[in-house]
Amino acid sequence: MTETREPDLFERIRFRGQPVANPESVVVDGDARFTILTPRLLRLEWTSTGAFEDRGSYAFPTRYAAAPPFTVDAGESVLAVHSGALTLRHARDSGRFTDSNLSIAFQFDGKPVTWKPGMPSAGNLRGTRRTLDGCEGDAALEEGLLSRAGWSLFDDSGAVLFDPGDGWVQRPRAHDQQDWYFFAHGHDYKGALAEYMRF
């Protein structure tokens, strides 16, 4: 009789995934990189060093998927990416993402919406808390992935990162950077969660 053994603790707690995105889904434009994960889910990166992040995080251990159809219009001053559901516009070589150099346009409830960095998400349905330790009374919740506004932004810039080879925690990013995920699923909350679970 062959004895089967459970993997040891260290093997079970490694954090594995496929963090490197499909190259066919990626648009690099100077110090900005845009990954079209799905027609309604985009990754938006800016880096001060030109070094983009390909290690997995808790929220996104995997970024690899079949490339959805999209088109790119690279003008002299503005880069436009059209996913079918969204149109992203970015002023080229303009530094950190701000409301003056980045926008994403889409339709929500039959009306045009244009998102820009810093726009408040009043309709956000909030997320969860990791722990209630130290809480007395009401506990504030951070913004979640679902919103009555039709869009949400997840900021992964300060995330814990994992080595893609062995699954162990790595040192945090030392350079100035932005690492965002933009969801524009309207009222399709199940669709938003289903797409998130793919990654």
Side-chain angles (χ1 to χ4, degrees):
M1 173 183 259
T2 304
E3 181 181 356
T4 59
R5 296 174 53 190
E6 290 290 324
D8 65 31
L9 173 65
F10 293 109
E11 182 59 32
R12 284 187 284 131
I13 63 176
R14 292 179 194 270
F15 210 72
R16 300 189 186 278
Q18 290 183 278
V20 179
N22 186 335
E24 296 180 1
S25 299
V26 175
V27 178
V28 177
D29 187 46
D31 55 8
R33 181 170 76 168
F34 306 105
T35 305
I36 298 82
L37 295 168
T38 78
R40 299 183 293 178
L41 174 55
L42 307 180
R43 184 186 188 197
L44 320 169
E45 294 174 89
W46 172 83
T47 173
S48 62
T49 65
F52 297 105
E53 187 56 71
D54 285 327
R55 291 173 291 177
S57 68
Y58 269 125
F60 287 89
T62 293
R63 303 184 190 99
Y64 190 91
F70 65 93
T71 60
V72 178
D73 296 325
E76 184 175 340
S77 59
V78 176
L79 176 82
V81 179
H82 310 278
S83 73
L86 309 171
T87 296
L88 177 149
R89 289 184 174 84
H90 178 246
R92 309 182 76 176
D93 299 317
S94 56
R96 291 177 61 86
F97 296 145
T98 69
D99 60 0
S100 64
N101 67 11
L102 179 68
S103 68
I104 300 176
F106 58 99
Q107 292 283 320
F108 177 53
D109 281 347
K111 299 177 181 179
V113 175
T114 300
W115 170 87
K116 293 183 177 182
M119 181 181 292
S121 180
N124 194 280
L125 297 176
R126 319 307 285 182
T128 61
R129 289 183 66 97
R130 184 182 61 84
T131 179
L132 293 176
D133 291 349
C135 290
E136 294 183 13
D138 295 341
L141 300 176
E142 296 182 358
E143 289 191 357
L145 303 181
L146 308 179
S147 175
R148 293 190 182 96
W151 62 270
S152 66
L153 182 73
F154 182 84
D155 187 349
D156 211 26
S157 304
V160 173
L161 300 169
F162 297 88
D163 186 287
D166 62 20
W168 289 108
V169 173
Q170 295 286 286
R171 293 188 180 196
R173 295 172 271 208
H175 58 278
D176 191 19
Q177 47 79 42
Q178 294 166 297
D179 191 353
W180 298 346
Y181 292 82
F182 185 79
F183 293 74
H185 293 76
H187 293 306
D188 183 12
Y189 303 146
K190 289 184 179 179
L193 293 176
E195 289 194 356
Y196 171 68
M197 291 304 295
R198 290 172 54 187
F199 302 101

